[in-house]
């Protein structure tokens, strides 16, 4: 075992000095490495003086890179030194191993650098999923905190800078983004889009030669005051964007010139009178509207317009245009508004017609009579048939026919209806027996 330990030091901590591996324990899910520091002294983080007097020691358990698909935990014993400087605010301090640990760190430096690389490449959620596949359990928030703790990279002063606005809350809060046009990388973000803020930022960088900016007044004023030596140009994206908007507005204003007038269909010399059996009566508003729509759609299609274009012009759905285009005549658009469908009332219609000719024009009374004959439906269908089919028929001239008075036996089953009394009247509402 004494011969294996130096090899473990070189294998596990080859890039770290001052660490001695004492034992390695392998389980089904993890690898536990026990190690300790071997340096004789350490530098105080407060005053920078070297101290060699040991105050005590304790164990740290930083997570390391996995090996063979297993989690690696280092049981590292570190020492606490006593600072020899009396003026140092620190009395004691714990030693840190460069390349292995840092203050309050729960991961080794190599695991930390690996997670930083994953977070920079994939961000939070995707980086956490990839790290889990490598047997490094971590959530998205620690990855984002690792990225946020990185120092800002050193950025050289740009020569050509692009200035535009960005929305923190669209329509409410806007800021200014500055981009190095040559490297195509963002340089800085300003909290607002005021001219004073932009002028102050440009004044601190006198090496700027060209400013590609949006053509707004506050950007123009800020660029003129902050960098008077720079050449101001409009960037290509805004030029193309403004050109596209101008062309669209121009076409929209002259859209009437681009749309040919649909050819009016030739009116036939003599229109055939619709047959009595046709479900499209002449003068019906729905029928006339359908005929006009059918003629207009076919005229536009004959003029060369596409079906989606006709739908946009007339404000009709495309499915309706397709149905009208397939119909050669308006009568083919019949969808059941005037169909002569068989109903439960058909077998009672001859009786209703006969009673109407006899002078009974009360729809309620007619319904009560056919209900006694076995009609299973309600009053509404009889009322609709009377108003639609019987009201226009001539009635025979003569006295109204009254049905016979009900017998005493039948009066208990079917009560006689009487009108409500209106005003003051001495006539009784109910028939009385002769005295």
């Amino acid at each position: 075992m004494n011969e294996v330990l130096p090899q473990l030091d070189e294998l596990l901590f080859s890039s770290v000095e001052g660490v001695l591996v004492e034992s390695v324990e392998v389980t089904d899910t993890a690898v536990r490495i026990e190690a300790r520091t071997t340096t004789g002294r350490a530098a105080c983080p407060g005053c920078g003086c070297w101290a060699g007097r040991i105050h005590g020691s304790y164990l740290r358990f930083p997570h390391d890179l996995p090996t063979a698909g297993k989690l690696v935990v280092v049981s590292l014993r570190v020492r606490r030194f006593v600072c020899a400087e009396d003026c140092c605010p620190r009395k004691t301090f714990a030693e840190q191993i460069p390349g292995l640990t840092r203050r309050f760190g729960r991961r080794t430096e190599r695991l930390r650098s690996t997670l930083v690389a994953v977070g920079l490449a994939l961000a939070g959620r995707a980086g956490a999923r990839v790290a889990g596949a490598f047997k490094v359990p971590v959530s998205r928030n620690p990855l984002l905190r690792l990225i946020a703790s990185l120092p800002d990279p050193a950025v050289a002063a740009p020569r050509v800078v692009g200035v535009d606005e960005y929305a923190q809350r669209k329509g409410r809060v806007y800021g200014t983004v500055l981009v190095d046009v040559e490297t195509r990388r963002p340089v800085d973000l300003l909290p607002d889009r005021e001219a004073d803020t932009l002028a102050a930022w440009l004044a601190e960088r006198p090496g700027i030669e060209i400013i590609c900016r949006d053509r707004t007044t506050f950007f123009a004023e800020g660029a003129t005051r902050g960098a008077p030596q720079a050449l101001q140009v409009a960037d290509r994206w805004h030029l193309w964007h403004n050109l596209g908007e101008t062309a669209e507005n121009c076409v929209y204003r002259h859209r009437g010139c681009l749309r040919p007038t649909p050819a009016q269909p030739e009116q036939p010399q003599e229109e055939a009178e619709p047959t009595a059996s046709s479900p499209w009566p002449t003068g019906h508003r729905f029928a006339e509207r359908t005929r006009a729509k059918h003629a207009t759609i076919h005229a536009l299609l004959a003029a060369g317009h596409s079906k989606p274009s006709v739908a946009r012009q007339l404000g009709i759905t495309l499915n309706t245009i397709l149905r009208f285009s397939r119909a050669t005549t308006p009568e083919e658009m019949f969808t059941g508004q005037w169909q002569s469908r068989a109903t439960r009332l058909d077998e009672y219609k001859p009786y209703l017609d006969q009673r109407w000719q006899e002078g009974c024009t009360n729809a309620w009374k007619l319904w009560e009579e056919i209900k006694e004959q076995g009609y299973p439906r309600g009053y509404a269908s009889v009322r609709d048939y009377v108003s639609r089919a019987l009201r226009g028929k001539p009635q025979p001239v003569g006295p109204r026919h009254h049905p016979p008075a009900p017998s005493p036996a039948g009066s208990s089953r079917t009560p006689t209806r009487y009108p409500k009394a209106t005003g003051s009247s001495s006539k009784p509402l109910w028939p009385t027996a002769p005295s």
Side-chain angles (χ1 to χ4, degrees):
M1 186 63 184
N2 295 332
E3 297 179 357
V4 177
L5 289 178
Q7 297 178 3
L8 291 175
D9 294 343
E10 296 177 359
L11 179 63
L12 298 174
F13 305 107
S14 59
S15 60
V16 180
E17 297 179 357
V19 178
L20 176 63
V21 177
E22 294 181 341
S23 65
V24 177
E25 181 183 356
V26 181
T27 62
D28 295 338
T29 59
V31 177
R32 183 185 179 92
I33 303 173
E34 293 186 1
R36 62 181 179 85
T37 59
T38 58
T39 56
R41 56 179 186 166
C44 176
C47 60
C49 296
W50 290 91
R53 180 184 170 187
I54 300 176
H55 180 270
S57 64
Y58 66 97
L59 290 176
R60 297 184 62 178
F61 301 92
H63 292 266
D64 199 7
L65 286 173
T67 177
K70 296 181 179 181
L71 182 65
V72 176
V73 178
V74 180
S75 177
L76 181 64
R77 181 169 293 278
V78 296
R79 296 164 295 178
R80 181 174 291 275
F81 290 90
V82 178
C83 184
E85 293 291 331
D86 296 335
C87 61
C88 181
R90 292 178 177 270
K91 300 302 180 181
T92 62
F93 64 92
E95 62 178 338
Q96 303 296 334
I97 297 94
L100 185 62
T101 62
R102 65 170 56 193
R103 293 188 66 195
F104 309 112
R106 298 183 179 181
R107 302 180 183 89
T108 61
E109 288 299 298
R110 51 192 177 187
L111 177 58
R112 178 188 175 89
S113 61
T114 302
L115 292 179
V116 166
V118 172
L120 289 175
L122 300 175
R125 296 184 185 275
R129 290 194 292 267
V130 172
F134 295 152
K135 302 300 180 181
V136 182
V138 65
S139 63
R140 63 186 181 92
N141 291 327
L143 285 177
L144 297 178
R145 284 196 296 267
L146 287 175
I147 296 174
S149 64
L150 294 177
D152 294 335
V155 179
R159 189 181 66 90
V160 183
V161 64
V163 182
D164 201 356
E165 61 184 8
Y166 73 97
Q168 298 176 1
R169 293 184 64 187
K170 191 172 182 180
R172 298 186 180 183
V173 182
Y174 286 88
T176 302
V177 58
L178 299 114
V179 181
D180 189 346
V181 178
E182 294 179 330
T183 61
R184 298 185 178 182
R185 297 181 65 86
V187 178
D188 203 348
L189 295 176
L190 303 182
D192 52 36
R193 50 179 179 178
E194 301 295 333
D196 296 338
T197 307
L198 178 60
W201 190 90
L202 294 174
E204 297 175 358
R205 295 160 180 83
I208 296 177
E209 301 177 3
I210 302 175
I211 299 177
C212 299
R213 61 172 178 82
D214 187 4
R215 295 185 298 173
T216 53
T217 56
F218 41 84
F219 285 157
E221 182 182 354
T224 303
R225 286 192 294 158
Q229 77 286 353
L231 176 64
Q232 301 183 28
V233 298
D235 59 274
R236 181 172 55 185
W237 186 89
H238 282 93
L239 289 177
W240 281 109
H241 182 68
N242 295 339
L243 178 61
E245 288 184 343
T246 304
E248 183 180 359
N249 294 334
C250 181
V251 172
Y252 180 78
R253 287 194 302 267
H254 298 84
R255 63 187 183 279
C257 304
L258 303 176
R259 183 183 303 165
T261 304
Q264 296 295 333
E266 296 182 359
Q267 298 292 337
Q269 297 295 332
E270 294 182 359
E271 295 184 357
E273 292 293 334
T275 60
S277 61
S278 175
W280 296 85
T282 303
H284 194 281
R285 59 184 180 86
F286 183 82
E288 297 301 330
R289 186 169 67 245
T290 304
R291 289 191 182 98
K293 189 183 299 183
H294 182 273
T296 304
I297 291 174
H298 278 265
L300 290 173
L301 294 176
H305 294 266
S306 63
K307 293 182 178 66
S309 175
V310 175
R312 287 193 299 270
Q313 295 180 39
L314 300 181
I316 306 174
T317 60
L318 183 59
N319 290 334
T320 305
I321 298 297
L322 294 176
R323 289 194 297 110
F324 272 91
S325 64
R326 298 189 191 105
T328 56
T329 60
E331 283 72 16
E332 296 181 16
M333 295 301 300
F334 170 55
T335 55
Q337 285 82 359
W338 298 286
Q339 289 190 54
S340 299
R341 297 177 180 175
T343 63
R344 296 289 185 89
L345 192 64
D346 290 345
E347 56 180 311
Y348 301 96
K349 287 180 180 179
Y351 177 78
L352 295 177
D353 295 344
Q354 177 185 354
R355 295 287 291 123
W356 183 270
Q357 294 297 327
E358 291 175 358
C360 182
T361 59
N362 189 325
W364 185 276
K365 184 61 180 176
L366 294 174
W367 170 69
E368 287 184 336
E369 293 180 8
I370 64 174
K371 189 176 181 181
E372 291 181 356
Q373 299 177 16
Y375 178 64
R377 295 300 179 89
Y379 162 73
S381 57
V382 178
R383 178 198 61 199
D384 294 341
Y385 175 72
V386 169
S387 62
R388 183 178 65 251
L390 300 182
R391 291 294 180 191
K393 290 185 177 181
Q395 300 181 12
V397 179
R400 295 175 62 89
H401 175 77
H402 295 280
S407 62
S411 60
S412 61
R413 295 193 306 268
T414 306
T416 306
R417 293 180 178 270
Y418 293 92
K420 290 183 179 181
T422 57
S424 61
S425 176
S426 60
K427 293 182 64 177
L429 295 179
W430 298 92
T432 58
S435 57

